[in-house]
Amino acid sequence: MKLQKEFFNRSTVEVAQDLLGKSLVFGNFKGLITETEAYRGFDDEASHAYRGPTTRAAIMFGEPGYSYVYLIYGIHHCLNIVTETSGCPGAVLIRGLQLPTLILDGPGKICQHLGITRQHSGINTINHPHFYLENGVDSFSYKATSRIGIKKATDKLWRFIITT
DNA sequence: CGCAAGATTATT
DNA sequence: ATAATCTTGCGA
């Protein structure tokens, strides 16, 4: 069951929590999402969208269910899924993925193994045949912590991890 | 047009 | 704890 637009068209923090245990399909790869982080605009200083719809963050202001891939430190790619309705910035960073054969911890590793680059940014995952999200496990436990690698808004517990 | 900083990872 | 490395954002 593929996740529809209504799933992403909600509060970013809620979507981040609900994405845990869901399945990410990208080409021949398919894995469970084990770790996410929520990034909103406006009130979140750590978000790319905080300063408004700049060139890089414009996708976060667009339609929910779209992919948002950016390059960080000139080395690593990070995969996000846009949330909230058009005009309201928000995205969920996919930090951890559980494949049948291995565990990918860290957004950079995920994009490296799946072959995700900025070419895959701005894709509508709701309509795309080989790049989308679907339901996974129904029940599991998880915890919330502060986000990693940022120096602003570290008081917000918007990082969610499956504890199994 | 030039400069400073960053949603990370691998290495010491 | 720190370097690597290049794109983005902001100032001149």
Side-chain angles (χ1 to χ4, degrees), chain A residues 16 19-20 24 32-39 70 72-73 77-81 92-98 103-111 145-150 158-162:
Chain A
L19 272 179
L20 289 176
L24 172 69
L32 282 183
I33 296 174
T34 59
E35 193 175 336
T36 64
E37 279 186 16
Y39 283 93
Y70 67 91
I72 191 64
Y73 299 117
H77 293 277
C78 298
L79 172 64
N80 301 247
I81 305 298
V92 174
L93 171 67
I94 309 298
R95 288 190 53 90
L97 205 59
Q98 165 92 249
I103 297 176
L104 298 175
D105 55 337
K109 293 181 180 178
I110 294 174
C111 294
T145 73
S146 61
R147 291 171 293 179
I148 301 290
I150 58 177
W158 286 353
R159 178 185 180 219
F160 305 104
I161 314 168
I162 287 188

Side-chain angles (χ1 to χ4, degrees), chain A residues 96-129:
Chain A
L97 205 59
Q98 165 92 249
L99 296 185
T101 51
L102 79 163
I103 297 176
L104 298 175
D105 55 337
K109 293 181 180 178
I110 294 174
C111 294
Q112 183 185 340
H113 277 266
L114 301 194
I116 296 176
T117 69
R118 278 167 304 174
Q119 299 174 3
H120 304 102
S121 192
I123 291 177
N124 185 351
T125 65
I126 297 165
N127 294 336
H128 202 279

Side-chain angles (χ1 to χ4, degrees), chain A residues 13-43:
Chain A
V13 177
E14 280 184 34
V15 176
Q17 295 177 60
D18 285 355
L19 272 179
L20 289 176
K22 293 297 185 293
S23 206
L24 172 69
V25 177
F26 184 82
N28 296 323
F29 295 99
K30 178 177 177 179
L32 282 183
I33 296 174
T34 59
E35 193 175 336
T36 64
E37 279 186 16
Y39 283 93
R40 304 192 49 176
F42 305 140
D43 56 338

Side-chain angles (χ1 to χ4, degrees), chain A residues 56-69:
Chain A
R56 175 169 56 168
I59 301 175
M60 293 177 69
F61 288 77
E63 292 288 310
Y66 275 64
S67 63
Y68 169 41
V69 181

